[in-house]
Amino acid sequence: MSKTAIITGGGSGLGQSTAVRLAQEGINIAVVDISEKGGNETVEMVKKLGPDAIFIKADVSKADDVKNYVDQTVEHFGSIDYFFNNAGISGSGKFFLDTDISEIESIVGINLLGALYGMRYVAEVMLKNGGGSIVNTASSAGVIGQDSVVTYSATKHGIVGMTKSMVAEYAKDGLRVNSIAPGPTETPMVEAFYRDNPEMKENATSGIPQKRLGTPEEVAELVTFLLTSKANYINGEVIRIDGGFTNTK
Ligand code: NAD
């Protein structure tokens, strides 16, 4: 029987590339996003490759929306085998004392609470069905300290913590939970961030040993490996995919 994946932030960037890559493996996809345009675009891309796909509009920072995307996925596909817990925003790139409270609240709400709510409801369904596999999107800023992203970095370190701790509680019941820590990767989020902060693109590229940004396709390949049975004995990891960036800091 076909497997089913939920992808949050599935309407763009890393989520969209991963939807396409998983579809190439014959996996059905529930595309979750706040953007209808991007979400529906991804659904069309998946369906062209053969598997079934649905779009579910949700703001992941709202627990009711999260419960709803989980319920709708189960109703349509019958189960959830894989979860790419990925939706996130970058923030303004200002130094911490120049950020206002509303920016802090929205980054924490989407990146951290949204990921926790997703894990809470999806893992519940998976464990009822004997297990499943989850990949959470952290970041380079989740494994090292960086300027201009203090709140973002706090949420991404949180992602790494929840990944490891979930494994401590539920690996014995068949759950695998890993996270990825991409360095700067060519997605719409990063293009917008560097448009507002052009000097940071120059600095970022020159600080990467491979002297280029990552591509969404490279990240999708890693996520597909981690989610599927190819990575059956990898659990609680944070895998860096950053051209050597954080390992040379
Ligand atoms: P992106 O902006 O291209 O895609 C993010 C998607 O999330 C968008 O479709 C957006 O509509 C959706 N989204 C935003 N807020 C949402 C909300 N409240 N509810 C539901 N959906 C929402 O960005 P991306 O680069 O693909 O980022 C995906 C993830 O990867 C994020 O968690 C980001 O922090 C992380 N990340 C990205 C990079 C990078 O360089 N691109 C590096 C490290 C980590």
Side-chain angles (χ1 to χ4, degrees), residues 9 11-14 33-35 58-60 86-89 110 137-139 152 156 182-185 187-190:
S12 177
L14 306 185
D33 208 291
I34 202 163
S35 155
D59 176 347
V60 298
N86 164 74
I89 57 170
I110 295 169
T137 303
S139 166
Y152 180 82
K156 296 303 188 180
T185 310
T187 67
M189 183 182 95
V190 157

Side-chain angles (χ1 to χ4, degrees), residues 48-88:
K48 264 194 197 139
L49 292 164
D52 190 10
I54 55 170
F55 170 61
I56 306 163
K57 186 176 166 116
D59 176 347
V60 298
S61 69
K62 298 190 171 136
D64 288 348
D65 281 17
V66 173
K67 173 91 172 67
N68 180 57
Y69 78 63
V70 172
D71 288 347
Q72 282 205 39
T73 302
V74 173
E75 197 174 309
H76 187 85
F77 293 109
S79 68
I80 306 164
D81 303 283
Y82 308 125
F83 179 38
F84 185 30
N85 196 7
N86 164 74

Side-chain angles (χ1 to χ4, degrees), residues 26-245:
I27 295 164
N28 298 323
I29 316 281
V31 178
V32 174
D33 208 291
I34 202 163
S35 155
E36 278 175 43
K37 187 170 173 288
N40 285 320
E41 183 182 281
T42 305
V43 164
E44 288 315 307
M45 292 164 92
V46 169
K47 283 185 167 171
K48 264 194 197 139
L49 292 164
D52 190 10
I54 55 170
F55 170 61
I56 306 163
K57 186 176 166 116
D59 176 347
V60 298
S61 69
K62 298 190 171 136
D64 288 348
D65 281 17
V66 173
K67 173 91 172 67
N68 180 57
Y69 78 63
V70 172
D71 288 347
Q72 282 205 39
T73 302
V74 173
E75 197 174 309
H76 187 85
F77 293 109
S79 68
I80 306 164
D81 303 283
Y82 308 125
F83 179 38
F84 185 30
N85 196 7
N86 164 74
I89 57 170
S90 63
S92 63
K94 291 179 185 160
F95 268 37
F96 189 57
L97 298 189
D98 298 323
T99 55
D100 55 32
I101 297 299
S102 66
E103 177 174 340
I104 295 171
E105 284 174 349
S106 82
I107 298 173
V108 172
I110 295 169
N111 293 11
L112 187 56
L113 291 180
L116 282 163
Y117 299 153
M119 182 88 92
R120 169 67 183 79
Y121 289 120
V122 171
E124 190 167 45
V125 171
M126 286 177 165
L127 289 167
K128 265 188 203 142
N129 296 329
S133 176
I134 297 174
V135 171
N136 299 310
T137 303
S139 166
S140 295
V143 292
I144 61 167
Q146 284 182 281
D147 66 47
S148 312
V149 289
V150 169
T151 305
Y152 180 82
S153 176
T155 65
K156 296 303 188 180
H157 276 76
I159 294 281
V160 171
M162 87 183 183
T163 299
K164 294 177 181 173
S165 298
M166 279 297 285
V167 169
E169 293 188 1
Y170 300 109
K172 67 178 185 323
D173 304 313
L175 197 69
R176 285 197 306 108
V177 187
N178 291 292
S179 56
I180 55 164
T185 310
E186 286 167 357
T187 67
M189 183 182 95
V190 157
E191 279 157 20
F193 186 78
Y194 286 145
R195 206 163 36 242
D196 297 341
N197 308 277
E199 72 294 343
M200 286 182 72
K201 180 168 190 182
E202 187 94 341
N203 290 345
T205 312
S206 65
I208 297 169
Q210 286 186 227
K211 302 295 175 207
R212 67 168 176 87
L213 303 191
T215 69
E217 291 75 22
E218 287 167 330
V219 174
E221 198 61 42
L222 173 62
V223 176
T224 302
F225 171 75
L226 288 173
L227 281 178
T228 60
S229 57
K230 290 169 185 159
N232 254 344
Y233 202 52
I234 299 179
N235 219 340
E237 272 294 345
V238 47
I239 310 272
R240 301 165 192 225
I241 175 160
D242 63 8
F245 171 56

